[in-house]
Amino acid sequence: MKIDLHATLRAHNTFGFDVSAQYLVHLTQAEELPVFVQKALDQALPWQVFGGGSNLVLAADLKGYTGLMQIMGRRLMREDADYFYVEAMAGENWHDFVLWSLEQGYPGLENLALIPGTVGASPIQNIGAYGLEVAQVFDSLEAFDVQNNCFVRLSNADCAFAYRHSLFKEDPQRYIVTSVCFKLPKKWQANLTYAELEKAFANKSDLSAKDIFNKVCEIRSAKLPDPKVLGNSGSFFHNPVVTHEKYQELKKRFPNLIAYPYAEGWKLAAGWLIDQCGFKGYRVGHLGVYEKQALVLVNHGGGTGSELLALAKEIQDKVLASFGVSLSIEPVVFK
Ligand code: EPU
């Protein structure tokens, strides 16, 4: 178990914020996890585990033990008449895994191409894009249960998935995910529920998963900045869910409002709300709002996490004043 002292986390968060970790631990095997947690507990220090750092706001130096999830491996775990059960270890890069699964002949993850981050992080916030959420293809995962000091397998129902949410967000100190298994139907069907995909492929015969993969990569690259080029964490706020009454009131005042029926109410496009407040392309110092997508905040270089949180607050205040809607921050914040 390699441990670096007072190491910078700059390369380990996609905003590129230059904060440090007191102890930075490279976790390459599941057996290291109990030791890692025990070290922190013995010294009464905090611990946290990061994947690709693509859903993080680091606004302060981190005390205690920060683990980098680097457990690697992927395989066809098993198959039955209807499904392939494909497993990847938590440290695998998500996009590489999606591509690999297609190449191996296990389609089904193509709508989630190009999402930054690791496989282990995918169930934490139940990643979703272009008509598909991880919860829809998730079979089970293996995790170290910190509370009971043992490894456990959790089913789809155990994980209590919801929109950008899961059991793991409720109690981040309970489990460390070590591998995730996906259940992919052998009888593949194209998922064209996202309007832009439907428009692109409605009349295409012989549509393949690779066609969808390529199209998703194209749409994503056109709308979202590459974190290697411009620091960001994807969508910075959840799309807020409002009651039917609130939706009707807003729709009357703003006929162009973008909203989708969701559960008992309506999900609003936060990007549209922020855009209407004039923030697209807005810049304060080193931080700003992406010029092509108002839901994405960016670090133009040299910015800090606290500056980013100040910008987020400015946006939240303006959206609340204009629409009476509260926006909640999507990434995990350390401050
Ligand atoms: N819109 C604007 N102005 C903007 C941004 C968006 O008017 O500046 C409008 C768009 O024209 C569209 C609507 O808002 O009509 C929704 O935009 P889009 O389809 O781009 O999706 P989104 O709601 O902004 C969500 C996810 C993304 C995911 C896309 C595609 C959340 C918080 N975000 O974004 O996920 O890729 O849908 O499925 O649910 C992420 O979570 O990091 C992420 C990128």
Side-chain angles (χ1 to χ4, degrees):
M1 199 162 75
K2 184 169 166 278
I3 304 181
D4 301 325
L5 258 175
H6 299 292
T8 175
L9 290 170
R10 193 174 180 163
H12 302 295
N13 72 103
T14 56
F15 272 113
F17 293 139
D18 194 7
V19 301
S20 67
Q22 187 177 2
Y23 298 104
L24 186 64
V25 187
H26 300 262
L27 299 165
T28 57
Q29 293 175 61
E31 303 77 66
E32 293 168 346
L33 297 179
V35 185
F36 163 79
V37 172
Q38 198 56 49
K39 273 182 183 293
L41 295 180
D42 286 349
Q43 295 168 61
L45 287 170
W47 63 266
Q48 49 275 325
V49 174
F50 294 167
S54 57
N55 203 42
L56 282 181
V57 177
L58 301 178
D61 290 335
L62 297 184
K63 289 207 187 74
Y65 286 80
T66 301
L68 293 178
M69 178 47 70
Q70 295 172 338
I71 306 175
M72 308 301 276
R74 49 200 185 189
R75 64 180 175 137
L76 176 68
M77 196 158 95
R78 64 189 173 93
E79 62 186 290
D80 57 26
D82 300 319
Y83 296 96
F84 293 117
Y85 296 81
V86 184
E87 183 192 56
M89 306 310 282
E92 288 287 338
N93 173 275
W94 173 262
H95 177 74
D96 292 348
F97 171 60
V98 172
L99 185 58
W100 173 86
S101 64
L102 285 185
E103 285 169 353
Q104 299 296 309
Y106 318 129
L109 299 174
E110 56 280 355
N111 294 55
L112 300 177
L114 224 54
I115 296 184
T118 54
V119 169
S122 66
I124 311 291
Q125 58 149 334
N126 182 20
I127 57 170
Y130 308 108
L132 184 66
E133 272 184 0
V134 145
Q136 292 165 253
V137 281
F138 176 98
D139 177 68
S140 59
L141 60 72
E142 220 169 40
F144 176 58
D145 178 347
V146 174
Q147 193 172 305
N148 295 312
N149 196 29
C150 61
F151 286 89
V152 289
R153 182 163 286 278
L154 302 178
S155 71
N156 195 314
D158 292 335
C159 295
F161 291 118
Y163 166 61
R164 294 294 190 276
H165 196 76
S166 71
L167 167 77
F168 311 102
K169 277 210 155 177
E170 278 170 32
D171 187 359
Q173 295 286 293
R174 173 77 194 265
Y175 297 105
I176 304 173
V177 176
T178 55
S179 69
V180 186
C181 177
F182 299 89
K183 183 178 172 181
L184 305 172
K186 287 187 166 174
K187 218 167 158 193
W188 176 80
Q189 273 195 317
N191 175 347
L192 301 180
T193 45
Y194 188 77
E196 231 174 303
L197 290 179
E198 152 78 12
K199 212 168 89 197
F201 293 125
N203 300 313
K204 190 171 185 320
S205 52
D206 298 336
L207 180 60
S208 73
K210 197 64 200 289
D211 292 332
I212 295 181
F213 174 90
N214 289 336
K215 191 76 197 171
V216 167
C217 289
E218 189 188 310
I219 299 174
R220 243 191 122 84
S221 310
K223 279 192 185 175
L224 299 166
D226 178 350
K228 288 194 199 91
V229 180
L230 189 60
N232 76 90
S233 69
S235 300
F236 197 80
F237 300 101
H238 292 107
N239 281 330
V241 177
V242 298
T243 62
H244 185 62
E245 290 68 36
K246 178 70 187 172
Y247 162 75
Q248 280 182 317
E249 174 219 314
L250 286 172
K251 190 74 185 166
K252 216 185 263 170
R253 281 171 57 209
F254 307 97
N256 297 331
L257 182 78
I258 299 173
Y260 316 90
Y262 183 81
E264 304 291 287
W266 291 77
K267 196 190 266 185
L268 308 181
W272 185 87
L273 300 173
I274 299 167
D275 196 358
Q276 294 301 299
C277 293
F279 280 115
K280 206 185 250 177
Y282 179 68
R283 200 168 161 163
V284 216
H286 303 288
L287 279 313
V289 178
Y290 189 49
E291 60 193 8
K292 296 185 207 160
Q293 225 300 8
L295 195 49
V296 177
L297 303 192
V298 295
N299 177 13
H300 291 284
T304 67
S306 328
E307 287 165 353
L308 180 72
L309 294 177
L311 170 61
K313 176 81 171 54
E314 188 182 340
I315 294 170
Q316 286 169 314
D317 289 349
K318 188 81 196 285
V319 168
L320 186 62
S322 307
F323 299 97
V325 173
S326 299
L327 293 183
S328 63
I329 293 179
E330 207 276 321
V332 178
V333 176
F334 287 87
K335 59 181 178 186

